[in-house]
């Protein structure tokens, strides 16, 4: 999975990112290019124009079995989605949101790429605090970076085995 979170592990507000940094968006594009991305319907609708992410295989999980998204494959259940992804190399699949999708698919993820903002933003969607979750270990932290006055770090968490 890949996401950005503030100090309180907030990840979204009113179906939008908490903060946009060009460096973080570039990193996201580079890491997910040519890969498979998994998201919920609301996350897809929050993307520019409500359109899929080009240059990636877009898999959408939606409770609405009749939902259609041009250029994407839509799944009505986590089981069907997981069947589709189990044949893919794990490093080629990224869960990209939103909050419900992260919580649902977290048990199947082995890594979490987190942009950690050293700030608190208004948020209505939160991620599990991986620093306090005994199932995860912090494997790497980048040097601090800054954009528009906000300091952040890239962190890699790995699932404990």
């Amino acid at each position: 999975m890949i996401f950005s979170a503030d100090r309180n592990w907030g990840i979204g507000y009113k179906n939008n990112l908490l903060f946009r940094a060009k460096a973080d968006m570039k990193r996201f594009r580079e890491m997910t290019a040519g890969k498979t991305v998994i998201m919920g319907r609301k996350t897809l609708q929050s993307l520019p124009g409500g359109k899929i992410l080009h240059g990636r295989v877009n898999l959408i999980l939606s409770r609405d079995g009749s939902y259609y998204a041009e250029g994407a494959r839509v799944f009505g259940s986590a089981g069907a989605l997981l069947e589709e992804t189990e044949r893919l190399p794990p490093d080629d699949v990224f869960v990209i949101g939103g909050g419900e999708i992260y919580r649902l698919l977290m048990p199947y993820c082995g890594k979490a790429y987190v942009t950690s903002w050293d700030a608190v933003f208004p948020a209505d969607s939160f991620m599990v605090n991986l620093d306090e979750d005994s199932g995860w270990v912090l494997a790497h932290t980048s040097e601090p970076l800054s954009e528009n006055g906000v300091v952040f770090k890239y962190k890699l968490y790995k699932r404990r085995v």
Side-chain angles (χ1 to χ4, degrees):
M1 45 187 178
I2 186 169
F3 60 92
S4 65
D6 71 3
R7 274 190 243 147
N8 294 330
W9 291 85
I11 60 170
Y13 182 65
K14 295 185 178 179
N15 205 32
N16 285 300
L17 296 174
L18 298 180
F19 185 79
R20 290 185 187 274
K22 287 181 183 179
D24 186 45
M25 301 308 278
K26 180 181 178 193
R27 178 177 181 259
F28 175 86
R29 280 190 308 275
E30 289 173 352
M31 290 184 71
T32 62
K35 310 288 182 168
T36 297
V37 292
I38 298 170
M39 69 189 98
R41 174 190 52 80
K42 289 187 236 176
T43 297
L44 174 63
Q45 292 172 337
S46 76
L47 297 176
K51 305 280 185 188
I52 64 166
L53 295 173
H54 293 285
R56 301 157 187 92
V57 175
N58 289 246
L59 305 181
I60 313 302
L61 185 58
S62 174
R63 289 184 201 103
D64 180 354
S66 65
Y67 183 72
Y68 173 78
E70 186 175 338
R73 295 196 50 209
V74 179
F75 295 84
S77 74
L81 176 89
L82 290 168
E83 268 184 47
E84 177 69 19
T85 60
E86 68 184 16
R87 62 180 173 75
L88 300 171
D91 287 341
D92 286 354
V93 180
F94 287 87
V95 177
I96 66 167
E100 288 183 52
I101 303 302
Y102 286 125
R103 282 185 287 284
L104 181 66
L105 298 179
M106 186 182 226
Y108 305 98
C109 296
K111 294 178 185 173
Y113 296 91
V114 181
T115 301
S116 180
W117 306 110
D118 188 16
V120 175
F121 302 105
D124 58 13
S125 182
F126 294 85
M127 190 61 187
V128 172
N129 181 334
L130 298 181
D131 291 321
E132 295 177 357
D133 186 320
S134 63
W136 294 87
V137 62
L138 180 60
H140 176 76
T141 303
S142 74
E143 292 297 317
L145 303 163
S146 179
E147 192 166 323
N148 296 324
V150 178
V151 175
F152 62 98
K153 294 179 183 178
Y154 297 126
K155 296 181 177 182
L156 170 62
Y157 292 85
K158 292 186 178 178
R159 181 170 293 289
R160 290 187 194 268
V161 287

